Amino acid sequence: MDLDALASCLASPACLVTQTTSGLIIGMLLFLVAVGLTLIFGVLKVVNFSHGAFYMFGAYFAMTAYQLTGSFALAILAGAAGTAILGLTFERLFMSRVYGRDVLMQLLVCYAFVLIFDDVVRMIWGPEFKSMGMPAAFQVPPLFIAGGVVPPYYLLLIGVALAAAVVLGLGLARSRIGKVIRAAAHNPGMVSALGINTGLIYGGVFALGGMLAGLAGALAAPVRSLTPGMGFSVLIESFIVTVIGGMGSILGALIGALLIGLIRSFGSLSFPLFTEGLMYLFMVIVLVSRPTGLFGKEVA
Amino acid sequence: MTRTRKPGISRRSTLALMGAGAVTFAAPWVARAEAKTIKIGMPTILSGRVAQLGTSSRNAVMLEVEKVNAAGGLAGRQIEMVIRDSKGQPQEAARIARELVNTDGCEMLLDGEASSGSFAVHEVARDLGVLCIHTCSEASSLTADPKQHIPNAFRCVRQGIHDSIVGAGYAAGIAKAKGLKKWATCSPDYAYGRDTTGEFVLYLKKFAPDVEIISESWPKLFQPDYTEVVTKILQAKPQALYSCLWGGDLTSYIDQANIYALFTQMEVFAVNMADYTALTVVKNLPKGIHSGDRYIKTFPATPENAAWGDAYKAKYNEYPTNWSWQNATAVMFLNEAVKKANSTDGKKVAEVLTGLTIKCPFGADGTVTMRADDRTLVGYAIGWGTTIPQEPYVPDVKAGDWKTIFELEAEWKKSKGYT
């Protein structure tokens, strides 16, 4: 425990800026994965344990597109679009068959696909770890804001994730499709009776969730090593985020992810040997005080 | 018309008899053919995050076994490798090792496990008395601790303590020359990371007493994001950083630290950088990272080593790893020991192996020795240098001095109560 380090950091604007942006970066990537998870749970009532695989595929799709085209924008697009198509296919062919079934069956199907997807990646891209490399446009010295260090790439990353959060939040709240999705989440039978194709809604939501995870993977690809199974550790942290924020709540996912990011970033200064533990401790505190999570709704 | 059977032996019976006779006479042939091959078992890690290292171990073994078999085999017996995947789990490694000997009839074991698994395989070797050569575990205690000593087990691997002594000597030289007094460490939070970092710091302070460790980071193994670790190190403002992160963790760390321009703000010593698995993967490798040699075909700078690295690349379309040369050396040792013993009997081979020196492309002076008192590999090429982003990656490796290594290793063993 090193509380002095934390105190001196809080007193220094440079340290405060660096550690806060560091927390935002960790949090925003987590948010993109967790929000897909929470969206799928909110509408489809399925805990998608294979969600980490979409993050992994997003990264691999982006790397391949980047190697083929040399364009980072296309790489991000490939990561997001590729995983959206994959999500839709996966939902229509497999997940749609286990809706309303025993949770154990859903879990088994998802877990089977975690293994299958890992092996598919191993077969296509090989078992060894890969690196995409930072696009030339971002191979620049970091910015210094109030003495704190902020890499320009991370500003892009935070911006894209924030934009995704805003579009998603507004889209669900204001647009017609958003209203239909919310209605389908609340009463799918009634939505179906009104002549709306719920299968399409479900497939679309799953594709959207997969796309967000894929986007996170694509954005992380330049700074993280790519390996089969890379989605697993992200998935665990995403679950912590959704549990803290409340399953099914988009705002909850955002706040939960940012809190985890800041806990990691400032926790590493004050509790270097207990940073991981801090996350779990925080989750326990939230669960004890608010079992439905910070923004979760009581299940009737 | 009716057909009558002639008395005596029918044609069908004759055929059956002939067949039985053929089998009877051929049986010794089959038996002889089986005895002529010698099965060598090898548990290693062929799936999961470390699969690349296990695969490169298997590749290196097969490369050498093919040579031995082409030259007539081990004492006239062709080698048949039985290689199984332990998935990196110690209990699985032990189970496979036992099965390889008891069920598959393997007469020797090459233990291609990481440290955690190798201790488990070591216990199987102790129990079954089978000749076993550890080919991947760098944990010093595996052979330094006398409790682990058994006459049938050897270690053909570089050792953590050797790396720490050479690395700290090299780093201390640079620390003194450049006045690097404030150091930070960042290593994975498990036995290897803790032990290796501890030993490095111990010798660094011994060689350069002014050095002070002002920040320690222990990210967990396979952590995807190191941002908070990178920024923490930047806050501490050390003059130098030591890390024994490896593989995908090291490349992730470099990618993430790069965009914070960490490598321009301090000297970085990363013992596991100079392995082709990491060197060829990092796209924007910063210039001037100090690293220990893992496997580099230009160190030792001999035609034999370069030829071996090229032959491996030609066959498998990738460069060998640190685990590759160690496994290849183990097969070379077996080959020489069997020649000298003129037998494949495990006990006789073990007796010859103890203290055996062989010619080897990876030797500091062209030879390596299986030291007699702790049955471990010494005399291999060991050194540190600075990396550049393209081949040969580490153009100038400064070789460690084995005399110093032996002296300090002896002191270390005494301090640990091993001698």
Side-chain angles (χ1 to χ4, degrees):
Chain A
M1 199 162 78
D2 189 0
L3 288 177
D4 289 348
L6 182 64
S8 67
C9 181
L10 292 176
S12 144
C15 181
L16 213 54
V17 168
T18 308
Q19 293 307 110
T20 308
T21 48
S22 150
L24 282 178
I25 294 147
I26 301 167
M28 279 308 188
L29 274 181
L30 261 183
F31 162 72
L32 285 177
V33 183
V35 75
L37 198 64
T38 206
L39 196 66
I40 289 170
F41 176 79
V43 179
L44 278 57
K45 306 289 181 282
V46 170
V47 180
N48 180 19
F49 276 93
S50 59
H51 198 63
F54 293 91
Y55 167 82
M56 171 179 71
F57 273 114
Y60 275 97
F61 288 156
M63 180 187 71
T64 307
Y66 185 67
Q67 284 168 350
L68 292 176
T69 65
S71 159
F72 184 55
L74 281 180
I76 299 290
L77 198 67
T83 44
I85 295 167
L86 188 71
L88 183 66
T89 316
F90 177 54
E91 194 274 343
R92 285 293 85 193
L93 290 181
F94 304 105
M95 288 308 286
S96 57
R97 294 167 200 274
V98 291
Y99 291 150
R101 299 280 285 274
D102 186 23
V103 72
L104 205 61
M105 174 60 96
Q106 297 175 346
L107 189 70
L108 271 176
V109 170
C110 287
Y111 188 62
F113 272 94
V114 168
L115 302 177
I116 292 169
F117 284 147
D118 280 356
D119 278 349
V120 167
V121 166
R122 198 167 285 130
M123 279 190 277
I124 298 175
W125 287 280
E128 64 278 4
F129 58 88
K130 308 258 181 201
S131 169
M132 175 173 146
M134 183 57 66
F138 294 100
Q139 287 178 31
V140 288
L143 302 173
F144 289 88
I145 301 171
V149 196
V150 184
Y153 181 71
Y154 283 170
L155 287 181
L156 169 91
L157 199 149
I158 293 170
V160 171
L162 259 184
V166 171
V167 169
L168 199 64
L170 285 179
L172 276 180
R174 304 275 169 85
S175 73
R176 187 176 174 276
I177 298 173
K179 282 175 188 164
V180 172
I181 289 173
R182 281 188 291 136
H186 190 66
N187 193 338
M190 181 58 80
V191 170
S192 183
L194 288 170
I196 292 167
N197 186 347
T198 45
L200 194 68
I201 300 281
Y202 285 175
V205 168
F206 209 98
L208 180 64
M211 187 191 82
L212 289 165
L215 178 66
L219 286 169
V223 282
R224 292 186 183 176
S225 66
L226 279 55
T227 53
M230 66 184 277
F232 189 68
S233 55
V234 176
L235 184 73
I236 292 174
E237 291 194 356
S238 301
F239 271 117
I240 298 175
V241 165
T242 44
V243 166
I244 290 173
M247 291 292 274
S249 163
I250 291 170
L251 182 64
L254 180 65
I255 302 293
L258 290 180
L259 282 172
I260 290 294
L262 292 172
I263 285 174
R264 288 195 73 105
S265 141
F266 285 97
S268 71
L269 291 177
S270 49
F271 302 95
L273 298 178
F274 196 61
T275 319
E276 294 283 317
L278 276 183
M279 284 192 323
Y280 291 99
L281 190 67
F282 185 62
M283 182 177 81
V284 168
I285 292 168
V286 169
L287 275 181
V288 169
S289 54
R290 273 187 73 91
T292 54
L294 294 175
F295 295 87
K297 293 196 177 77
E298 205 75 48
V299 178
Chain B
M1 192 179 131
T2 54
R3 215 176 249 201
T4 51
R5 258 191 95 207
K6 286 181 185 166
I9 303 173
S10 70
R11 189 166 54 189
R12 189 173 293 175
S13 307
T14 312
L15 280 173
L17 271 172
M18 280 168 70
V23 169
T24 314
F25 284 109
W29 268 90
V30 175
R32 265 210 299 276
E34 271 175 4
K36 223 170 159 32
T37 60
I38 177 167
K39 284 186 178 176
I40 301 179
M42 179 174 178
T44 191
I45 306 168
L46 298 172
S47 57
R49 286 273 299 235
V50 194
Q52 196 180 3
L53 289 174
T55 311
S56 75
S57 303
R58 181 180 62 190
N59 289 348
V61 164
M62 295 315 294
L63 186 71
E64 291 307 310
V65 163
E66 276 173 24
K67 286 183 205 164
V68 175
N69 280 346
L74 287 181
R77 300 171 70 187
Q78 292 286 298
I79 302 173
E80 183 188 335
M81 290 301 304
V82 187
I83 302 174
R84 301 248 162 87
D85 179 16
S86 71
K87 302 174 188 75
Q89 295 165 4
Q91 73 279 14
E92 190 66 3
R95 188 190 66 74
I96 289 172
R98 204 172 277 279
E99 189 181 88
L100 284 167
V101 177
N102 289 341
T103 312
D104 295 276
C106 292
E107 294 173 45
M108 299 170 181
L109 287 177
L110 290 182
D111 162 34
E113 290 293 319
S115 298
S116 50
S118 67
F119 282 90
V121 175
H122 194 76
E123 289 312 306
V124 174
R126 190 196 297 270
D127 188 27
L128 302 180
V130 65
L131 176 67
C132 171
I133 303 183
H134 302 290
T135 54
C136 299
S137 168
E138 295 176 37
S140 303
S141 59
L142 182 63
T143 49
D145 186 350
K147 286 191 204 114
Q148 301 291 351
H149 288 178
I150 46 174
N152 52 314
F154 298 81
R155 183 235 295 270
C156 184
V157 190
R158 68 189 320 130
Q159 252 188 90
I161 186 68
H162 297 166
D163 270 337
S164 296
I165 292 169
V166 175
Y170 170 86
I174 294 174
K176 282 178 189 163
K178 296 191 174 180
L180 310 175
K181 289 179 185 167
K182 290 181 177 175
W183 283 64
T185 66
C186 173
S187 294
D189 190 12
Y190 75 116
Y192 165 75
R194 294 259 174 192
D195 291 353
T196 309
T197 305
E199 287 159 12
F200 176 86
V201 170
L202 177 80
Y203 288 106
L204 177 64
K205 285 185 172 172
K206 184 182 171 79
F207 297 136
D210 286 350
V211 163
E212 180 195 359
I213 304 296
I214 58 165
S215 170
E216 289 177 43
S217 302
W218 302 102
K220 71 174 195 283
L221 193 62
F222 306 148
Q223 182 166 315
D225 198 301
Y226 295 95
T227 307
E228 79 263 17
V229 177
V230 172
T231 52
K232 180 188 162 185
I233 293 167
L234 288 175
Q235 302 301 340
K237 295 191 174 65
Q239 295 168 297
L241 170 72
Y242 169 80
S243 175
C244 67
L245 287 169
W246 55 275
D249 287 4
L250 178 63
T251 58
S252 268
Y253 183 82
I254 289 174
D255 282 336
Q256 291 171 28
N258 236 345
I259 56 174
Y260 277 97
L262 180 138
F263 299 99
T264 61
Q265 298 175 45
M266 60 197 78
E267 294 279 334
V268 177
F269 297 75
V271 59
N272 296 319
M273 185 70 248
D275 202 20
Y276 287 116
T277 49
L279 290 168
T280 53
V281 165
V282 178
K283 296 286 184 296
N284 314 111
L285 184 70
K287 205 176 162 185
I289 294 180
H290 304 275
S291 174
D293 73 308
R294 303 297 289 172
Y295 176 75
I296 287 281
K297 70 170 187 165
T298 48
F299 181 75
T302 58
E304 291 83 6
N305 183 31
W308 191 84
D310 288 338
Y312 184 102
K313 183 152 194 274
K315 192 168 167 63
Y316 300 110
N317 200 27
E318 61 184 15
Y319 275 122
T321 67
N322 180 53
W323 285 21
S324 303
W325 77 259
Q326 297 172 163
N327 278 278
T329 307
V331 178
M332 292 172 195
F333 263 116
L334 270 183
N335 190 29
E336 279 303 310
V338 168
K339 267 188 204 163
K340 282 209 160 60
N342 198 24
S343 161
T344 49
D345 177 69
K347 274 192 181 158
K348 289 181 186 162
V349 176
E351 276 170 24
V352 177
L353 263 179
T354 311
L356 181 66
T357 297
I358 62 166
K359 271 190 180 176
C360 177
F362 320 113
D365 62 356
T367 67
V368 288
T369 299
M370 189 59 75
R371 188 164 57 188
D373 61 353
D374 55 0
R375 297 183 187 81
T376 198
L377 185 73
V378 292
Y380 54 89
I382 181 169
W384 276 64
T386 54
T387 54
I388 55 169
Q390 65 280 334
E391 285 205 55
Y393 294 113
V394 193
D396 181 24
V397 182
K398 288 193 171 55
D401 168 30
W402 273 100
K403 193 168 160 275
T404 314
I405 296 174
F406 289 144
E407 281 170 18
L408 293 173
E409 185 189 16
E411 275 178 29
W412 172 79
K413 278 186 173 176
K414 206 174 265 180
S415 73
K416 285 273 177 186
Y418 291 154
T419 50

